[in-house]
């Protein structure tokens, strides 16, 4: 029997219409659709994005990926998810894994696919690119993320002030992902460098309840959700001479 293919589908940062045509076609024709489970029994972000594109005939497979740093717990979760997906692949069914943002950009899918390849070397995997949140955020701000020779640094989360300091020394534009847990520390660094007025925070990018905070000078006490990012224009931008 032919083994099914696992497709990693990028579904964008939130707006269901930001999925690519290729991704949507694969999503709608796949017999099995997998996605990361949400927290406390609620639908996860990827599931919410794709829900309107699914029909009742498709099997929906919610996979548990715990929000912890313990590598043993994480590896056990990745192996469990891989075995659940393989149960369908080995019978010839294709499986689509819906991933928020872009499939290659800080993606949960990476751990699933690597674990599958390790346990089942014969597995067939394809990745479908899409829109990631920094690009969507820049579009919503009506600004280019970078131009010409500008250097861009994207940090998944800031675990030390020194990492941010290094990025600000090097880059022309800095994007900080999942800023909620470190926002106050970051705010203080930006204040010291006189960059608060050049910084913008976006929460829930492209969703109906998205919020944008421009000029953070008086916004030390922002209470941000998990899906929040911050863009800093570190150096002046000269469009004419860039």
């Amino acid at each position: 029997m032919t083994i099914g293919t696992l497709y990693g589908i990028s579904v964008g940062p939130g707006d269901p219409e930001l999925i690519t045509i290729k991704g949507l076609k694969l999503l709608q024709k796949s017999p099995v659709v997998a996605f990361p489970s949400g927290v406390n029994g609620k639908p996860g972000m990827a599931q919410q994005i794709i829900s309107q594109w699914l029909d009742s005939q498709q099997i929906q497979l919610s996979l548990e990926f715990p929000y912890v740093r313990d590598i043993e717990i994480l590896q056990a979760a990745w192996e469990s998810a891989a075995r659940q997906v393989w149960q369908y692949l080995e019978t010839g069914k294709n499986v689509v894994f819906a991933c928020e943002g872009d499939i290659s950009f800080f993606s949960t899918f990476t751990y699933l696919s690597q674990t599958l390849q390790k346990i089942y070397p014969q597995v067939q995997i394809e990745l479908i690119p899409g829109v990631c949140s920094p690009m969507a955020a820049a579009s919503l701000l009506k600004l280019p993320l970078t131009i010409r020779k500008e250097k861009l640094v994207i940090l998944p989360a800031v675990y030390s002030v020194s990492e941010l300091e290094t990025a600000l020394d090097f880059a022309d534009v800095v994007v900080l992902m999942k800023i909620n847990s470190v926002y106050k520390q970051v705010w203080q660094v930006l204040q010291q460098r006189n960059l608060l007025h050049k910084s913008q925070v976006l929460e829930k990018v492209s969703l109906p309840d998205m919020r944008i905070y421009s000029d953070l000078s008086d916004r030390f006490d922002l209470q941000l959700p998990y899906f929040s990012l911050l863009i800093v224009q570190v150096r002046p931008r000269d469009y004419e001479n860039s």
Side-chain angles (χ1 to χ4, degrees):
M1 179 179 290
T2 302
I3 296 172
T5 298
L6 172 64
Y7 294 92
I9 303 295
S10 307
V11 299
D15 182 348
E17 294 187 350
L18 288 180
I19 188 172
T20 65
I21 294 174
K22 184 173 185 177
L24 180 58
K25 287 180 177 179
L26 286 168
L27 178 69
Q28 291 182 315
K29 73 179 183 181
S30 178
V32 184
V33 178
F35 40 77
S37 61
V39 178
N40 299 324
K42 298 179 180 179
M45 178 63 76
Q47 184 181 0
Q48 294 177 53
I49 294 170
I50 64 174
S51 60
Q52 67 176 273
W53 304 123
L54 304 181
D55 66 44
S56 59
Q57 302 302 312
Q58 292 174 291
I59 297 170
Q60 297 189 34
L61 183 61
S62 179
L63 301 174
E64 183 71 30
F65 297 97
Y67 293 92
V68 298
R69 296 185 189 176
D70 187 307
I71 191 62
E72 292 185 0
I73 295 175
L74 289 171
Q75 286 180 336
W78 300 335
E79 290 180 8
S80 174
R83 296 185 193 282
Q84 291 178 68
V85 169
W86 180 252
Q87 290 178 359
Y88 295 100
L89 295 176
E90 68 176 342
T91 65
K93 290 185 175 67
N94 291 337
V95 177
V96 158
F97 182 91
C99 177
E100 185 231 342
D102 177 79
I103 204 72
S104 64
F105 186 72
F106 301 123
S107 169
T108 302
F109 180 78
T110 299
Y111 306 107
L112 172 62
S113 61
Q114 289 180 342
T115 305
L116 261 171
Q117 289 173 320
K118 180 180 179 180
I119 302 175
Y120 310 104
Q122 66 272 44
V123 69
Q124 301 295 314
I125 298 174
E126 293 189 25
L127 277 64
I128 311 302
V131 179
C132 61
S133 56
M135 283 60 182
S139 296
L140 290 163
L141 293 173
K142 298 179 175 61
L143 293 171
L145 190 57
T146 58
I147 57 175
R148 298 297 292 273
K149 297 180 180 179
E150 288 185 338
K151 299 183 291 294
L152 170 68
V153 169
I154 300 177
L155 297 178
V158 181
Y159 295 111
S160 71
V161 171
S162 63
E163 289 177 323
L164 176 56
E165 296 278 10
T166 299
L168 293 172
D169 287 338
F170 168 78
D172 300 288
V173 180
V174 174
V175 178
L176 304 179
M177 308 292 294
K178 299 180 176 63
I179 191 67
N180 61 313
S181 64
V182 293
Y183 174 73
K184 289 187 176 181
Q185 298 97 300
V186 170
W187 189 95
Q188 291 171 332
V189 173
L190 296 177
Q191 182 190 47
Q192 292 167 5
R193 289 181 173 244
N194 195 32
L195 290 172
L196 289 172
H197 65 293
K198 298 181 179 180
S199 304
Q200 302 189 73
V201 167
L202 296 90
E203 60 178 59
K204 301 182 180 180
V205 171
S206 81
L207 288 169
D209 56 345
M210 177 185 70
R211 299 189 68 177
I212 298 174
Y213 303 96
S214 298
D215 188 346
L216 305 179
S217 300
D218 298 320
R219 298 190 181 276
F220 177 69
D221 292 319
L222 279 183
Q223 300 299 313
L224 299 170
Y226 179 76
F227 290 106
S228 300
L229 62 81
L230 187 152
I231 299 178
V232 186
Q233 182 65 48
V234 182
R235 281 169 251 291
R237 177 172 278 169
D238 186 343
Y239 290 98
E240 294 183 359
N241 298 315
S242 61

